[in-house]
Amino acid sequence: MTLSEEDYIKAIYHLSKDDKGNVSTNAIAAQMDSKASSVTDMMKKLAEKDVVHYKKYQGARLTDKGKSYAAKIIRKHRLWEFFLVEKLNFSWDEVHEIAEELEHIKSEKLIEKLDAFLDFPRTDPHGDPIPDKHGNITKVEKILLSSAKNNEKGIVIGVKDSSSDFLRYLDKLGISLGKEITILHKEPFDNSVMINLDGEKTSISALTANNIYLKIN
Amino acid sequence: MTLSEEDYIKAIYHLSKDDKGNVSTNAIAAQMDSKASSVTDMMKKLAEKDVVHYKKYQGARLTDKGKSYAAKIIRKHRLWEFFLVEKLNFSWDEVHEIAEELEHIKSEKLIEKLDAFLDFPRTDPHGDPIPDKHGNITKVEKILLSSAKNNEKGIVIGVKDSSSDFLRYLDKLGISLGKEITILHKEPFDNSVMINLDGEKTSISALTANNIYLKIN
DNA sequence: CAAGATTTTTAGAAATGTCTAAAAAATTAT
DNA sequence: ATAATTTTTTAGACATTTCTAAAAATCTTG
């Protein structure tokens, strides 16, 4: 697979995470920051290679082969992110772009040795699960902070938005993976949430609350 | 710079290591395993970008900008090789191909952090010096084993040929970086060399002796 | 359910990097 | 120094990946 093909496979993977339907040409173009016509061309090529199911005017979805390939790219991306943060001391908002390049390095042996060197991490620095070498992902039960109920207590285990801006904002708030958060009160007026974090009362906006995943004990 | 441009820059760098003259179009084509016409095209492009001096029918050589760029690629290549061997337990004959890919990862910050993580190594797993962040290379005095004199004693500090085949052959012979070798006798008939290695007498061929660098105490 | 709006595909073009074949320049050898 | 050989460049083509503009299909809505 070329670099470009791998990027399209990843895009389709991310767009079809939850629902199992087809992904539209326009949705892929938006995700890739390219044009619908380019997507159509690439879908024909990927269908030829048997990594997507594609029918004119009906969008695309990954075949089993495509899903397996996507999982391998995601695995590489997340292992490299873990390496960058844990070994090279990058912060969690800096690693995505670099991992976007590293994820295309081909060697299987490299990635298995890296996995062992890192002591087989289960999640990346943003809490996202790292697929195993067969492409299997362990799903962890999690809810959005915004949908937690009053008096519920949870551990921060992930973020929905992992843009640098959001991650740096969380740093400023003192929110990081593993932190315990108690929901004190949800404000109906603006859907902001009053929480207890490290013994302090803090109010977080609806948008922020909608991008933090909690594991409820 | 694109991947392909970087590969051409590297090729010219390697071809003009010793002598300062221009490198011929055909020599570059041979090194790159491509055709002379492709080289001509690329030289025009690289001259435009001011990384090579190029005049029709007279070959090319790197500009200062080109040399600096080449040194950065070499630095990345050799740091990654060191990482692969020292941290991921690859053997010295396995790392070249993987480093060929890793050397194109762009982030400067990545490479400075990697350098620090590896504790600022001075040479790669084949004994070749790692340029510093400014592109400066520390030259070490060294001679080919084939040109050492009888009764001279030296430490293996590098190899001229770093192909997998040669490196694996050295493994079989028990020759690795840091080993002490004493030249016992040079056979005029076939230029083979009788050496003392770990207290054992061993004969090595002229070709082998011509690809091992020694530091004489 | 037909007209308008939107989405998707097709057609044609550009940029990159490569190649083959032929022409041009440089080198070598008689 | 001229002919033969080798090297290098040019010209034209092809594969990839992308784009714009126009056409075709699908969806939406009064």
Side-chain angles (χ1 to χ4, degrees):
Chain A
M1 298 289 173
T2 67
L3 206 145
S4 185
E5 288 169 342
E6 291 194 345
D7 285 339
Y8 276 96
I9 291 170
K10 244 194 340 169
I12 299 169
Y13 179 88
H14 285 306
L15 288 169
S16 51
K17 254 204 219 86
D18 331 286
D19 54 297
K20 61 253 118 239
N22 284 13
V23 178
S24 78
T25 301
N26 263 0
I28 298 169
Q31 171 86 13
M32 297 280 300
D33 205 9
S34 67
K35 294 295 153 75
S37 55
S38 307
V39 174
T40 300
D41 288 348
M42 187 55 92
M43 289 311 106
K44 286 176 183 167
K45 192 141 72 95
L46 291 181
E48 197 63 44
K49 291 194 172 190
D50 224 30
V51 295
V52 302
H53 293 294
Y54 169 69
K55 277 219 204 92
K56 272 189 184 185
Y57 296 103
Q58 294 179 206
R61 70 176 195 283
L62 294 174
T63 61
D64 285 346
K65 188 174 162 190
K67 280 179 202 161
S68 155
Y69 202 96
K72 279 177 187 158
I73 303 172
I74 305 293
R75 171 171 165 76
K76 290 193 276 183
H77 183 100
R78 293 180 179 168
L79 280 173
W80 279 118
E81 284 197 342
F82 187 93
F83 167 75
L84 294 172
V85 168
E86 294 300 317
K87 300 293 183 181
L88 299 196
N89 293 115
F90 277 94
S91 57
W92 69 342
D93 60 289
E94 298 177 302
V95 296
H96 183 77
E97 284 70 25
I98 301 175
E100 287 284 298
E101 291 188 62
L102 286 165
E103 73 190 4
H104 298 292
I105 304 292
K106 299 290 180 196
S107 167
E108 290 255 344
K109 192 167 182 180
L110 169 62
I111 217 66
E112 297 321 314
K113 277 175 172 286
L114 180 65
D115 194 22
F117 176 62
L118 300 175
D119 207 17
F120 308 104
R122 310 292 294 273
T123 61
D124 77 10
H126 315 109
D128 296 313
I130 298 173
D132 71 16
K133 75 164 81 175
H134 308 296
N136 303 312
I137 299 183
T138 311
K139 271 233 176 95
V140 172
E141 210 53 49
K142 64 188 179 187
I143 62 165
L144 283 172
L145 202 164
S146 54
S147 66
K149 296 184 192 68
N150 282 350
N151 296 314
E152 268 194 316
K153 194 186 284 186
I155 306 285
V156 178
I157 59 159
V159 292
K160 197 163 88 182
D161 174 1
S162 35
S163 69
S164 290
D165 285 345
F166 182 60
L167 296 173
R168 276 201 291 264
Y169 176 56
L170 290 183
D171 285 343
K172 228 183 306 186
L173 289 174
I175 295 175
S176 57
L177 295 189
K179 284 269 178 174
E180 187 174 86
I181 286 179
T182 308
I183 284 74
L184 300 176
H185 175 70
K186 302 176 77 175
E187 177 56 49
F189 170 64
D190 63 357
N191 291 310
S192 68
V193 187
M194 187 66 71
I195 62 169
N196 184 317
L197 174 73
D198 295 326
E200 308 262 324
K201 270 176 77 167
T202 312
S203 171
I204 61 178
S205 71
L207 182 59
T208 303
N210 205 39
N211 279 293
I212 297 173
Y213 287 118
L214 295 182
K215 185 176 77 183
I216 304 297
N217 306 327
Chain B
M1 298 288 172
T2 66
L3 205 145
S4 186
E5 289 169 342
E6 291 193 345
D7 284 340
Y8 276 96
I9 291 170
K10 243 195 339 169
I12 298 169
Y13 178 88
H14 285 306
L15 288 168
S16 51
K17 251 203 221 88
D18 332 287
D19 54 296
K20 60 251 127 236
N22 285 12
V23 179
S24 78
T25 302
N26 263 358
I28 298 168
Q31 171 85 13
M32 296 282 300
D33 205 10
S34 67
K35 294 296 153 73
S37 56
S38 307
V39 174
T40 300
D41 288 347
M42 187 55 93
M43 290 310 106
K44 287 176 182 167
K45 192 141 72 97
L46 291 181
E48 197 62 45
K49 292 194 171 190
D50 224 31
V51 295
V52 302
H53 294 293
Y54 169 69
K55 275 218 205 93
K56 271 189 186 183
Y57 297 103
Q58 292 179 210
R61 70 175 195 284
L62 294 174
T63 62
D64 285 347
K65 187 174 162 191
K67 279 180 203 161
S68 155
Y69 202 97
K72 279 177 188 158
I73 303 173
I74 305 293
R75 171 170 165 77
K76 291 193 276 182
H77 183 100
R78 293 180 180 167
L79 280 172
W80 279 117
E81 283 197 344
F82 187 93
F83 167 75
L84 293 172
V85 168
E86 294 300 317
K87 300 292 183 180
L88 299 196
N89 294 116
F90 277 94
S91 57
W92 68 343
D93 60 287
E94 299 176 302
V95 296
H96 183 77
E97 284 69 24
I98 301 176
E100 287 283 298
E101 291 187 63
L102 286 165
E103 73 191 5
H104 297 293
I105 305 291
K106 300 291 180 197
S107 168
E108 289 255 344
K109 191 167 184 180
L110 168 63
I111 217 66
E112 297 322 313
K113 277 176 172 285
L114 180 65
D115 194 22
F117 175 62
L118 300 175
D119 207 17
F120 308 103
R122 311 292 294 274
T123 62
D124 77 9
H126 314 110
D128 295 313
I130 297 174
D132 70 17
K133 75 164 82 175
H134 308 296
N136 303 312
I137 299 182
T138 311
K139 270 231 178 96
V140 171
E141 211 52 50
K142 64 188 177 186
I143 62 166
L144 283 172
L145 202 163
S146 54
S147 67
K149 295 184 193 67
N150 281 350
N151 296 314
E152 267 194 316
K153 195 186 283 187
I155 305 285
V156 178
I157 59 157
V159 292
K160 198 163 88 184
D161 174 3
S162 35
S163 68
S164 290
D165 285 345
F166 183 59
L167 296 173
R168 276 200 291 262
Y169 177 56
L170 290 183
D171 284 342
K172 226 183 309 187
L173 288 174
I175 295 174
S176 57
L177 296 188
K179 284 270 176 171
E180 186 174 86
I181 286 179
T182 307
I183 285 75
L184 300 177
H185 174 70
K186 302 176 77 173
E187 177 55 50
F189 170 64
D190 63 357
N191 291 310
S192 68
V193 187
M194 187 67 72
I195 62 170
N196 184 316
L197 174 72
D198 294 327
E200 308 260 324
K201 272 177 76 168
T202 312
S203 171
I204 60 179
S205 71
L207 182 60
T208 303
N210 204 38
N211 279 293
I212 296 174
Y213 287 119
L214 295 181
K215 184 176 77 184
I216 304 297
N217 305 328

